[in-house]
Amino acid sequence: MTHPILLLGLLTVAYFISHSQAENAFSQYWEEYIGLPKPPHWLAAKASPLSLHQVTVFIKLVEENELSSHLPSFCKQANVACSKNALEKKTTNNTTLPPIVPWNDAKLKYDGQLPNETPLSVASQGGLLFFRESMVKEGGFMLIPDLRDPMSYKSFLPRSLASKIPFSFAQIKELKKLFGVVDESNMDEYIQETLKTCEKSPIRGEQCTCATSAEDLIDFVVKRLGHHVHLWSTESIEGSYENVTIGTVKLIYGNLFEPPALCHSQSFPFQVYYCHVLQKLKVYTIDIHAKKKVNHAIMVCHYDISTWNPNHIAFKLGFGSGLIEVCHWINENEMVWTKTLG
């Protein structure tokens, strides 16, 4: 009979070996298609921890409609959320910040379906979500919104497994049953909002996808931008809900005719990114002088918002019609991909 402590040790070692193998598989795919040395640590950490054997087993369970009977084991091994409150647990180690409101929940989607009665205090989430470029000046002050990633502690599923998971409104009952999601729970709301985002019609000139695996995300970037790219992301969540001092403002990508790709983390049982390419964008890096330390944040400015919905929150905040530029921050673990121009 195996001693309990020894068994625990073996399981722990097996977990770390499995996770290491998963990160290596992701890194190999990255190196094959992306012209960068390696993925950033926070993105590599989102790689699925499942081994090939585990993936094979879970695919079979999905195909036989038996996964729900093995949900606790699947959720733990795959590092995904399978209960109505799972997304609310451990969203941040900083207990001084209020609960996260996912980007696609009370915040704004680019289709602009924001009710007219939405209070600006809710929409702003502690600071302006959208603002003019002229409002960000070195030495100035600015109230920063929530920069946290609502899914920072959940993993992708491998593409072979993710492709077996129902991912549409037409299959939402099967999807919720698969993950044990209760009707009208928080998770139910998150799933519905994410599916709305992923199934909406793109605006004119927009190319978009919802990447349900790391491989899908890489494939989208390569298809739209090519292999030679640069990845930009905000360094941390420092400055969230603070009135910060703006430090150095640096334009890092200003080619309006070679649009970058933006990827936003979505609230879902497993990691999903909404990625899109929009025309006429500029990308800046901004030093945010927060209370604890300086955060190197990414700011994106849109110079063609003529196709945005008239009810877009940017216009509700007094920016008029779609004839101006509108800027916003890139949250923790969100991505801006730009072409490496020779």
Side-chain angles (χ1 to χ4, degrees):
M1 183 176 181
T2 307
H3 194 280
I5 295 179
L6 176 59
L7 179 60
L8 177 61
L10 291 172
L11 290 174
T12 301
V13 171
Y15 169 81
F16 283 109
I17 290 175
S18 172
H19 193 71
S20 176
Q21 290 173 341
E23 285 198 21
N24 288 337
F26 174 45
S27 295
Q28 288 171 6
Y29 197 86
W30 172 283
E31 291 172 6
E32 184 176 353
Y33 293 100
I34 298 292
L36 293 172
K38 58 182 180 179
H41 67 89
W42 59 263
L43 185 56
K46 288 177 178 285
S48 172
L50 295 176
S51 66
L52 289 176
H53 173 71
Q54 290 170 321
V55 171
T56 302
V57 169
F58 289 130
I59 286 177
K60 185 176 181 181
L61 289 173
V62 171
E63 292 175 339
E64 296 176 351
N65 294 317
E66 294 291 336
L67 184 64
S68 58
S69 301
H70 300 78
L71 207 53
S73 174
F74 170 69
C75 296
K76 184 176 182 179
Q77 293 180 50
N79 189 38
V80 299
C82 297
S83 72
K84 64 179 181 180
N85 294 318
L87 285 183
E88 297 178 351
K89 297 177 181 177
K90 299 181 181 177
T91 49
T92 178
N93 292 326
N94 188 340
T95 57
T96 63
L97 296 179
I100 289 177
V101 177
W103 175 268
N104 59 356
D105 185 23
K107 291 187 181 180
L108 165 85
K109 303 184 294 295
Y110 281 100
D111 58 11
Q113 299 302 315
L114 185 72
N116 291 331
E117 66 272 11
T118 300
L120 295 186
S121 59
V122 173
S124 66
Q125 285 300 293
L128 293 179
L129 290 178
F130 296 91
F131 44 88
R132 298 293 303 274
E133 184 180 10
S134 59
M135 296 169 66
V136 185
K137 293 182 177 179
E138 185 171 356
F141 298 93
M142 195 166 190
L143 189 58
I144 303 298
D146 195 348
L147 298 176
R148 290 173 293 175
D149 173 9
M151 290 295 291
S152 62
Y153 63 100
K154 292 300 170 190
S155 299
F156 282 109
L157 290 180
R159 177 153 59 185
S160 57
L161 178 55
S163 64
K164 302 290 183 180
I165 304 295
F167 194 79
S168 69
F169 256 110
Q171 299 171 296
I172 194 168
K173 288 185 178 180
E174 294 92 327
L175 173 61
K176 288 164 59 177
K177 181 180 178 182
L178 200 64
F179 287 98
V181 176
V182 179
D183 288 345
E184 300 183 0
S185 64
N186 291 327
M187 181 66 83
D188 183 17
E189 183 180 351
Y190 297 153
I191 287 174
Q192 291 194 46
E193 290 293 340
T194 293
L195 292 178
K196 285 179 185 177
T197 299
C198 294
E199 294 187 0
K200 73 180 180 67
S201 298
I203 61 175
R204 190 182 70 223
E206 180 186 28
Q207 300 166 321
C208 57
T209 191
C210 272
T212 58
S213 69
E215 297 94 330
D216 285 349
L217 189 152
I218 291 173
D219 288 353
F220 176 80
V221 170
V222 170
K223 182 178 180 180
R224 300 304 176 190
L225 304 182
H227 297 276
H228 301 292
V229 294
H230 194 98
L231 173 58
W232 309 92
S233 59
T234 292
E235 184 176 87
S236 73
I237 66 169
E238 293 297 332
S240 295
Y241 290 90
E242 292 182 24
N243 193 24
V244 305
T245 301
I246 301 297
T248 302
V249 178
K250 181 180 179 182
L251 176 67
I252 55 177
Y253 191 83
N255 190 327
L256 295 178
F257 303 100
E258 294 282 357
L262 278 60
C263 293
H264 306 284
S265 183
Q266 303 295 298
S267 295
F268 207 71
F270 54 92
Q271 181 64 66
V272 172
Y273 273 98
Y274 173 65
C275 296
H276 57 166
V277 174
L278 287 166
Q279 302 300 313
K280 296 187 178 180
L281 270 68
K282 289 184 180 180
V283 185
Y284 294 82
T285 179
I286 315 291
D287 287 348
I288 293 176
H289 291 263
K291 292 178 181 178
K292 293 183 178 180
K293 64 177 183 179
V294 177
N295 183 8
H296 306 291
I298 300 299
M299 179 182 79
V300 170
C301 292
H302 300 254
Y303 289 83
D304 181 5
I305 56 174
S306 60
T307 58
W308 288 20
N309 191 298
N311 289 327
H312 196 287
I313 193 174
F315 307 143
K316 290 178 179 293
L317 294 174
F319 293 159
S321 63
L323 302 177
I324 57 168
E325 92 293 337
V326 170
C327 304
H328 63 84
W329 303 107
I330 293 297
N331 282 14
E332 172 196 27
N333 296 351
E334 293 188 336
M335 295 171 265
V336 177
W337 299 83
T338 58
K339 277 189 175 183
T340 301
L341 303 176

